[in-house]
């Protein structure tokens, strides 16, 4: 990201930019930054957009070879092409030969670093990954937004906000706008404000469901499950997320027993640091043997669904009923 900012500041641009990764908010922000820096807003002659999996690479090459019309550069924006996940021999061979007057900007979900397109783009321009952001950066970003709006928030309330939104910046941006509108007449954002307007994300509802299972509160766990179904969440995705949370809890219990610090545990478990403490609290409700059995049972139910032995909705219900019972022995066998 810093390299793009430096290019924009200096006016010295690369021929190729590849923006990829899971953090869509930042990808879109830097796509717009580059677009605004490279062409004027009303210049439709020197700006082309191609999107989707059926883009013709030879057409892109023809566009790139066209000289800009009364401008310094031609910008070609290519989104979700899949070129960086599959072989695209023609375009990979062409990128190093592209005229200096053309900039090709790719915005992709992911790339294959072993592929020819990735290697060609890396040599020709800049390939930048936009992944999940660290808690420190998200905190600075949120506080900066609040400062512009002359709002204040305490650290516990900020942690509550992040626990509801997760680390997806698009979600944070949306929920922050709702919070700012709700507290329009207030200077300090309080816990009640966050509770009143911020929507629980699916991952948080899964967390609450596992918490209910840990308390052996089958009714609450089933209620959360039916809420997710009402929101059109597919049962198989819910099963995957339940299994994922069981895996995180097992990993955290193992690492905590080994004496690892919270930052290391967060990195290895793939969760934000602020989620470690509450996840460890949740993990305390299960033994390691129970969590291992839960993972085994989840995998077995997934297989049963995929092979047609069981309906997916019923499979998840069975798992919830099994682990929401008061019994101490965990097995569906």
């Amino acid at each position: 990201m810093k390299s793009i900012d430096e290019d924009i500041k200096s006016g010295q641009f690369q021929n190729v930019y590849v923006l990829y990764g899971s953090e869509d908010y930042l990808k879109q922000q830097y796509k717009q930054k580059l677009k605004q820096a490279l062409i004027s807003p009303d210049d439709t002659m020197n700006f082309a957009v191609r999107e989707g999996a059926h883009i013709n690479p030879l057409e892109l090459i023809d566009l790139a070879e066209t000289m800009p019309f009364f401008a310094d550069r031609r910008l070609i924006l290519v989104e979700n092409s899949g070129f960086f996940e599959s072989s695209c021999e023609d375009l990979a061979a062409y990128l190093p030969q592209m005229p200096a007057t053309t900039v090709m900007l790719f915005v992709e979900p992911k790339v294959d670093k072993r592929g020819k397109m990735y290697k060609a783009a890396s040599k020709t321009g800049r390939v930048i990954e936009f992944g999940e952001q660290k808690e420190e950066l998200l905190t600075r970003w949120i506080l900066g937004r609040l400062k512009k709006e002359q709002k204040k928030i305490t650290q516990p309330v900020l942690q509550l906000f992040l626990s509801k939104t997760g680390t997806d910046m698009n979600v944070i941006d949306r929920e922050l706008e709702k919070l700012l509108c709700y507290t329009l007449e207030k200077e300090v954002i309080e816990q009640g404000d966050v509770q009143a307007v911020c929507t629980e994300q699916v991952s948080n509802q899964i967390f609450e469901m596992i918490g209910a299972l840990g308390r052996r509160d089958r009714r609450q766990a089933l209620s959360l499950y039916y809420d997710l179904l009402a929101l059109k969440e597919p049962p198989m995705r819910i099963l995957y997320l339940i299994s994922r949370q069981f895996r995180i809890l097992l990993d955290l219990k193992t690492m905590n027993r080994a004496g690892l610090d919270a930052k290391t545990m967060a990195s290895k478990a793939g969760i934000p640091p602020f989620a470690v403490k509450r996840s460890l609290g949740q993990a305390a409700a299960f033994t390691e043997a129970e969590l291992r059995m839960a993972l085994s049972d989840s995998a077995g139910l997934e297989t049963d669904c995929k092979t047609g032995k069981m309906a997916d909705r019923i499979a998840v219900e069975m798992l919830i009923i099994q682990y929401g019972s008061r019994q101490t022995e965990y097995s569906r066998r």
Side-chain angles (χ1 to χ4, degrees), residues 285-310:
F286 301 92
T287 67
E288 288 188 24
E290 289 170 345
L291 291 170
R292 292 184 194 281
M293 186 61 74
L295 287 168
S296 176
D297 286 346
S298 299
L301 287 169
E302 181 181 1
T303 300
D304 287 349
C305 293
K306 288 181 177 178
T307 56
K309 292 181 180 179
M310 188 179 296

Side-chain angles (χ1 to χ4, degrees), residues 146 151-153 157 179 183 187-191 193-194:
L146 293 178
K151 300 285 185 184
K152 295 178 181 178
I153 191 169
V157 176
L179 194 56
T183 59
E187 180 183 0
V188 180
I189 295 173
E190 300 173 325
Q191 179 177 327
D193 302 321
V194 175

Side-chain angles (χ1 to χ4, degrees), residues 49-276:
V49 182
R50 297 294 183 271
E51 185 174 4
H54 302 292
I55 302 170
N56 185 343
L58 297 180
E59 182 195 359
L60 290 181
I61 293 172
D62 286 341
L63 281 170
E65 286 293 305
T66 306
M67 293 294 292
F69 185 74
F70 291 112
D72 294 330
R73 301 178 189 86
R74 173 176 297 279
L75 174 62
I76 303 171
L77 173 60
V78 183
E79 297 194 73
N80 303 313
S81 67
F83 288 150
F84 289 84
E85 296 177 68
S86 59
S87 177
C88 187
E89 303 278 345
D90 292 331
L91 199 53
Y94 174 72
L95 290 183
Q97 307 169 33
M98 201 159 58
T101 53
T102 296
V103 174
M104 205 172 284
L105 170 58
F106 295 90
V107 182
E108 305 287 338
K110 51 187 175 180
V111 303
D112 181 355
K113 295 183 179 181
R114 302 165 299 178
K116 290 185 178 180
M117 278 293 290
Y118 179 87
K119 292 175 181 177
S122 298
K123 291 179 181 178
T124 310
R126 301 197 189 282
V127 181
I128 301 168
E129 181 178 10
F130 294 85
E132 183 179 286
Q133 299 300 295
K134 294 181 179 179
E135 183 183 356
E136 297 92 321
L137 186 144
L138 293 174
T139 298
R140 290 200 304 271
W141 178 56
I142 293 168
L143 292 176
R145 291 276 299 273
L146 293 178
K147 186 177 180 180
K148 286 181 181 178
E149 300 294 332
Q150 299 181 326
K151 300 285 185 184
K152 295 178 181 178
I153 191 169
T154 64
Q155 188 64 25
V157 176
L158 178 57
Q159 291 292 309
L160 173 65
F161 175 75
L162 283 170
S163 74
K164 286 181 172 290
T165 63
T167 57
D168 186 309
M169 293 180 74
N170 269 324
V171 175
I172 293 174
D173 180 60
R174 182 177 67 244
E175 295 301 313
L176 201 54
E177 285 297 323
K178 287 163 56 178
L179 194 56
L180 288 170
C181 290
Y182 185 76
T183 59
L184 197 60
E185 305 299 325
K186 296 177 64 175
E187 180 183 0
V188 180
I189 295 173
E190 300 173 325
Q191 179 177 327
D193 302 321
V194 175
Q195 297 284 20
V197 299
C198 292
T199 306
E200 289 279 0
Q201 303 307 304
V202 172
S203 58
N204 288 325
Q205 288 178 284
I206 296 295
F207 184 89
E208 294 299 325
M209 186 187 297
I210 300 298
L213 294 180
R215 298 190 301 273
R216 310 300 187 260
D217 189 346
R218 182 170 56 193
R219 181 176 296 179
Q220 176 65 14
L222 283 170
S223 176
L224 289 164
Y225 175 50
Y226 297 141
D227 286 346
L228 289 172
L229 291 177
L231 293 170
K232 308 298 183 184
E233 199 66 32
M236 288 302 286
R237 173 169 160 75
I238 296 172
L239 181 59
Y240 161 76
L241 291 171
I242 290 173
S243 180
R244 177 179 178 272
Q245 183 63 19
F246 278 136
R247 168 59 63 187
I248 288 171
L249 297 185
L250 177 59
D251 289 344
L252 288 176
K253 280 185 80 75
T254 304
M255 289 187 285
N256 190 48
R257 181 162 45 80
L260 274 64
D261 61 84
K263 186 175 182 180
T264 303
M265 286 193 285
S267 176
K268 289 182 176 292
I271 60 175
F274 64 78
V276 170

Side-chain angles (χ1 to χ4, degrees), residues 290 293-294 296-297 322-323 327-333:
E290 289 170 345
M293 186 61 74
S296 176
D297 286 346
Q322 179 78 39
Y323 285 83
Q327 300 172 6
T328 56
E329 291 297 325
Y330 282 64
S331 176
R332 69 186 182 94
R333 291 183 286 277

